[in-house]
Amino acid sequence: MTTRESPRRREVLEVLRTAPAPLGVAEAARRMGLHANTVRFHLDALVADGLVERRAAAPTGPGRPRTVYTVRPGMDRGGPRDYRLLARMLLSRWAAAADPAGARAEAMETGRAWGRFLVDPLPPYEPATPGRSVAALLDLLDGLGFAPQPEGEDAANGESGRTPERIRLRHCPFLELAEEQGGLVCPLHLGLMQGALAELGAPLTATSLEPFAAPDSCVAHLAGAAPG
């Protein structure tokens, strides 16, 4: 159970936050009218969540110093997040550009840069065959949540040395954004694949991305890369 889901835990946190000095278990329990063991349980959970600090108080006499608790400095990390809104705000700058073609090209180049950064390199001294390159690209896309499915036997294993033709993307981790701003999000995805394959030194590239080619998927088309 998180702090946000536990009213009692939020109450303990508020008692610590409003106290003029760090509190021990007994003091916090007294303020809340609860048993010390109950308060200790919630304090331990708050410490584990990184919201509260546990430390030894300054000694006031013989014996072991008492343990006290205080709220960890910094903003509350238990609140809600809205990264989708942030993404929409950033995309809106591209969407409002006076040159839509330039905005799409910039989105694609951004995808290429991140594709080069995110893809795992192939082992040293192993040639970047179509099969190995597609396997590395599939690992990247799968890790990002695209649920990729290579189409055709050659795409799956690359044993014949022929260039795979398609990768079906059965899930879009940015679906709502792609529905709103597909003219920017889809070029970003295409650039991501192109950058990853270029970084691998693959003998193929992603030539196009067909958004919502079927009701349940998009399709990336692959072809041999131009030499050099």
Side-chain angles (χ1 to χ4, degrees):
M1 179 181 296
T2 65
T3 299
R4 189 169 38 176
E5 295 168 341
S6 170
R8 182 69 73 198
R9 208 161 291 171
R10 290 199 301 270
E11 186 182 353
V12 174
L13 195 61
E14 188 59 25
V15 165
L16 294 179
R17 186 173 283 122
T18 56
L23 298 177
V25 172
E27 294 166 298
R30 224 172 11 251
R31 291 178 181 231
M32 298 179 68
L34 297 174
H35 193 279
N37 287 342
T38 300
V39 173
R40 182 179 288 106
F41 169 78
H42 290 297
L43 284 170
D44 288 343
L46 289 166
V47 170
D49 287 344
L51 298 174
V52 165
E53 292 179 345
R54 179 196 292 120
R55 64 172 186 258
T60 57
R64 196 159 113 192
R66 68 192 184 102
T67 299
V68 294
Y69 299 82
T70 186
V71 175
R72 184 182 291 275
M75 190 170 287
D76 179 12
R77 294 185 174 274
R81 305 285 195 272
D82 195 349
Y83 293 116
R84 185 186 299 174
L85 175 59
L86 174 62
R88 293 179 68 189
M89 292 165 67
L90 295 174
L91 280 172
S92 70
R93 293 290 296 170
W94 271 337
D99 178 12
R104 287 193 296 273
E106 189 174 339
M108 188 174 294
E109 186 52 44
T110 299
R112 289 191 189 107
W114 277 95
R116 289 190 291 268
F117 172 72
L118 291 172
V119 72
D120 289 332
L122 295 174
Y125 309 114
E126 286 194 11
T129 63
R132 290 192 182 103
S133 302
V134 168
L137 179 62
L138 291 173
D139 283 345
L140 171 62
L141 294 173
D142 190 50
L144 293 174
F146 285 96
Q149 180 64 53
E151 294 204 322
E153 184 178 348
D154 293 336
N157 56 43
E159 291 300 326
S160 68
R162 295 166 56 190
T163 301
E165 295 180 355
R166 291 176 302 278
I167 296 176
R168 189 169 294 276
L169 306 175
R170 295 173 290 119
H171 179 263
C172 179
F174 314 118
L175 179 60
E176 291 79 10
L177 298 173
E179 290 172 337
E180 293 177 14
Q181 299 289 352
L184 294 170
V185 176
C186 296
L188 190 75
H189 292 166
L190 177 59
L192 184 85
M193 291 183 275
Q194 291 177 344
L197 291 169
E199 181 68 18
L200 295 168
L204 71 163
T205 189
T207 56
S208 63
L209 176 62
E210 194 178 349
F212 307 109
D216 62 348
S217 59
C218 303
V219 173
H221 296 267
L222 307 178

